[in-house]
Amino acid sequence: MNALTTHSANSMSDDRPSELLPQFTILGQPVHLSNDYVSWLIDRLQHGIGTHVVTMNAEIVIYADRDPELSTIIHHADLVTPDGSGIIMALKLHGVLQPRYAGIDLGEDLLRWAGNQDRDYPVFFYGGKPQIVQQAAQKWQTELPNLKIAGVEHGYLDAEAQSKLLHQVQTTQPKIILVALGVPRQEIWIRDNFHLCPQAIWIGVGGSFDVWSGVKNRAPQYIRNLELEWLYRILQEPSRWRRALALPQFAVLAIAERIWGKDKPAR
């Protein structure tokens, strides 16, 4: 059966253990519970603790159920946040009340924090189409003039350009690395390259660059409050309907898990 446990992320360069966060398992995948993820992340950043963040939604859970590699990455991530409304629904079924915290909100909160610090917390933007990632970075540079941007690179690189990117990341040592390559590619890329900046926060941010660049609109707040942001995205991008099929599948499995306890053991 599901159980509320605690999880301590692996500290890579700190001399003290990080605070334990409660952890709950949904369909075999962990999610961490907190009312203040940003403060937890900032504390780790200030103490030089590298952090791989996975922003969990129903689609990722279904994908991980079929992909052992992604499931392993999620289980080894330092922080798994409840990104989607389906995750919040599943937690409620078990009596766990946890606010949703979308990956795009987490990215924005960290950028605003980094842009208002006297200390040096450079940010790296990687992924998306060339013009989109440039526009996203420029949007934040305009809004936060003091934000230090270590690099901006799109996600369509050949082997030589990818090698140069990795060298740039290692040389500049950004403290916040936002990766928009889509699931599971962004999670795999972070796992493979985490060692290059072992004191940074690495986050897969999916389609956030599209919104920040102005190419796509985010759902109005009242729609988000109704937990219908997923529907707004489908209406805006009808081609996403196949991906949305994961939502009813997840709901059925989550309800079955709650009623019959048919949860799968964590890998």
Side-chain angles (χ1 to χ4, degrees), residues 68-178:
E69 182 179 20
L70 177 59
S71 180
T72 299
I73 291 172
I74 294 171
H75 278 80
H76 284 88
D78 301 289
L79 178 63
V80 182
T81 61
D83 176 278
S85 57
I87 302 299
I88 300 306
M89 178 272 292
L91 289 171
K92 286 181 179 178
L93 288 174
H94 292 274
V96 179
L97 299 181
Q98 169 66 50
R100 177 182 175 232
Y101 195 27
I104 188 171
D105 293 324
L106 175 56
E108 291 180 0
D109 288 344
L110 284 172
L111 286 169
R112 290 194 173 95
W113 177 84
N116 287 284
Q117 299 302 305
D118 294 330
R119 292 182 59 185
D120 192 16
Y121 291 98
V123 179
F124 205 104
F125 294 80
Y126 170 52
K129 297 179 180 179
Q131 192 171 16
I132 288 177
V133 66
Q134 291 288 342
Q135 291 174 347
Q138 184 57 53
K139 177 257 198 247
W140 285 108
Q141 190 69 87
T142 300
E143 181 174 329
L144 302 169
N146 293 326
L147 181 68
K148 299 175 178 64
I149 297 180
V152 180
E153 189 56 81
H154 64 82
Y156 297 82
L157 305 177
D158 58 23
E160 182 179 357
Q162 179 72 204
S163 179
K164 291 180 178 178
L165 165 67
L166 297 180
H167 178 72
Q168 183 183 7
V169 169
Q170 187 172 33
T171 301
T172 58
Q173 288 295 302
K175 296 303 182 184
I176 300 172
I177 303 172
L178 305 176

Side-chain angles (χ1 to χ4, degrees), residues 2-5 22-26 31-35 37 82 85-100 257-258:
N2 277 323
L4 192 63
T5 60
Q23 176 179 293
F24 202 86
T25 302
I26 299 174
V31 61
H32 294 104
L33 309 177
S34 174
N35 289 319
Y37 294 102
S85 57
I87 302 299
I88 300 306
M89 178 272 292
L91 289 171
K92 286 181 179 178
L93 288 174
H94 292 274
V96 179
L97 299 181
Q98 169 66 50
R100 177 182 175 232
E257 178 181 71
R258 178 64 184 92

Side-chain angles (χ1 to χ4, degrees), residues 207-255:
S208 298
F209 292 176
D210 291 330
V211 175
W212 294 340
S213 68
V215 172
K216 295 177 183 176
N217 296 319
R218 193 177 180 193
Q221 187 63 54
Y222 75 91
I223 291 181
R224 286 181 251 164
N225 292 342
L226 293 172
E227 303 292 356
L228 292 175
E229 187 167 12
W230 59 272
L231 178 59
Y232 185 90
R233 294 185 68 182
I234 293 174
L235 294 175
Q236 198 171 208
E237 302 175 70
S239 60
R240 293 178 60 93
W241 73 269
R242 291 184 184 276
R243 294 172 58 181
L245 294 177
L247 295 173
Q249 182 181 358
F250 174 86
V252 170
L253 292 173
I255 292 171

